[in-house]
Amino acid sequence: MQIDMGSTIQNPACQHCKDRFSSIFCKAEQCNLEQIDQAKVCSVYKKGQVIFHEGAYPFGVYCINDGKIKLSHSGDDGREQIIRLVKAGDIMGYKALLSNERYTATATALEDSSICFVPKDLFMSILQKDASLSFEMMRILSSELRKAELKITHLAQKPVRERLAETLLFIKETYGLEADGHTLSVRLSREEIANLVGTATESAIRLLSEFKKDGMIELEGKKIRLLDLQQIVKTANLQD
């Protein structure tokens, strides 16, 4: 099975990675981190390039050094469903690796991204002997499960308008804002936003126009500026 690879680059040292302390590997023991540093292969993937395909077998885990990635599943009707957004410091491919199953999603670069690949045998070996890393792995899995359960509940119970507002806040939390303090720091198509919300593209377009009319957001191509954050939070109807 061929592994999708981007253009290989010089490996950035794990110890000096700007996202080390937001990554699972911040918990790894120094000696294990050095092994990962020596064995990993780092590559640059262009915007739109696939990192791994749904249905393929995993050969390791991917750690995002820089960039933005979407994980999407293909439904029975062939439509894409975005199931997760990934940012710098996150890892991908670990669930399929741990369960020894095929990937249940396709990973695609939303922008030019630098990604490090850690081979399966080394990762599993270190995971078995590094208690801190294993605990952090369990924490991440538990967090992902909680988010999945919450999303299922919201899909079943919340109106689409509330889900769109919540999705805008989720994108802000994941990728942050640009220097102006208002513009979401990622460019997503209307179809991708609809996939995140769990609605038809036409509905997402209509609701975005309503949000703009209500003064909550401003639209410029794929750029979305959050103008009235308080109203967006209110519309999302978030509860602790």
Side-chain angles (χ1 to χ4, degrees):
M1 181 73 68
Q2 183 179 359
I3 302 174
D4 293 310
M5 295 295 290
S7 303
T8 303
I9 59 173
Q10 184 176 2
N11 290 0
C14 291
Q15 293 88 342
H16 305 299
C17 176
K18 64 183 179 67
D19 295 296
R20 177 188 169 191
F21 295 105
S22 61
S23 166
I24 181 177
F25 297 114
C26 71
K27 303 294 183 180
E29 295 177 6
Q30 183 62 31
C31 59
N32 295 327
L33 191 64
E34 291 173 356
Q35 288 187 61
I36 293 170
D37 197 23
Q38 294 172 7
K40 72 181 189 296
V41 176
C42 300
S43 306
V44 170
Y45 293 83
K46 297 295 184 181
K47 178 181 178 180
Q49 189 172 357
V50 171
I51 295 97
F52 58 77
H53 290 268
E54 180 178 354
Y57 284 105
F59 290 91
V61 295
Y62 296 84
C63 185
I64 315 306
N65 180 257
D66 189 42
K68 301 176 178 71
I69 313 293
K70 67 175 179 180
L71 293 175
S72 59
H73 170 71
S74 180
D76 294 336
D77 57 358
R79 286 184 57 191
E80 177 189 66
Q81 178 64 53
I82 298 176
I83 58 177
R84 187 182 165 207
L85 294 177
V86 184
K87 63 184 184 304
D90 290 345
I91 61 171
M92 306 184 299
Y94 55 89
K95 284 179 282 189
L97 194 69
L98 293 172
S99 62
N100 196 29
E101 297 176 346
R102 297 172 185 262
Y103 290 124
T104 56
T106 295
T108 309
L110 290 169
E111 63 181 30
D112 292 355
S113 302
S114 173
I115 303 173
C116 296
F117 175 79
V118 181
K120 173 182 178 179
D121 291 344
L122 175 62
F123 181 76
M124 295 300 288
S125 173
I126 290 176
L127 200 59
Q128 290 174 23
K129 63 184 179 182
D130 193 323
S132 295
L133 187 63
S134 297
F135 185 82
E136 184 67 10
M137 189 79 257
M138 287 190 289
R139 188 193 65 78
I140 290 174
L141 288 167
S142 297
S143 176
E144 287 299 318
L145 179 59
R146 180 185 60 80
K147 290 176 183 177
E149 291 172 341
L150 189 62
K151 184 169 185 178
I152 291 171
T153 302
H154 287 181
L155 282 171
Q157 299 180 357
K158 298 188 76 169
V160 179
R161 183 179 174 87
E162 291 184 10
R163 299 206 309 266
L164 174 58
E166 186 175 358
T167 295
L168 293 176
L169 295 172
F170 166 70
I171 296 171
K172 172 183 173 290
E173 180 183 349
T174 303
Y175 292 136
L177 301 170
E178 295 185 356
D180 64 3
H182 295 284
T183 305
L184 293 175
S185 185
V186 66
R187 304 289 181 266
L188 297 172
S189 69
R190 300 297 186 262
E191 184 178 7
E192 288 170 330
I193 291 174
N195 287 337
L196 284 168
V197 175
T199 189
T201 304
E202 295 77 12
S203 296
I205 293 172
R206 174 178 56 81
L207 285 169
L208 284 169
S209 295
E210 288 182 11
F211 280 23
K212 179 181 178 181
K213 184 179 178 180
D214 293 341
M216 289 190 283
I217 64 172
E218 186 175 87
L219 302 171
E220 182 185 336
K222 291 184 179 181
K223 286 185 179 181
I224 300 179
R225 296 185 183 91
L226 309 183
L227 301 181
D228 191 339
L229 194 59
Q230 185 176 358
Q231 186 60 34
I232 294 173
V233 172
K234 184 178 179 180
T235 303
N237 192 23
L238 296 175
Q239 298 183 12
D240 295 333

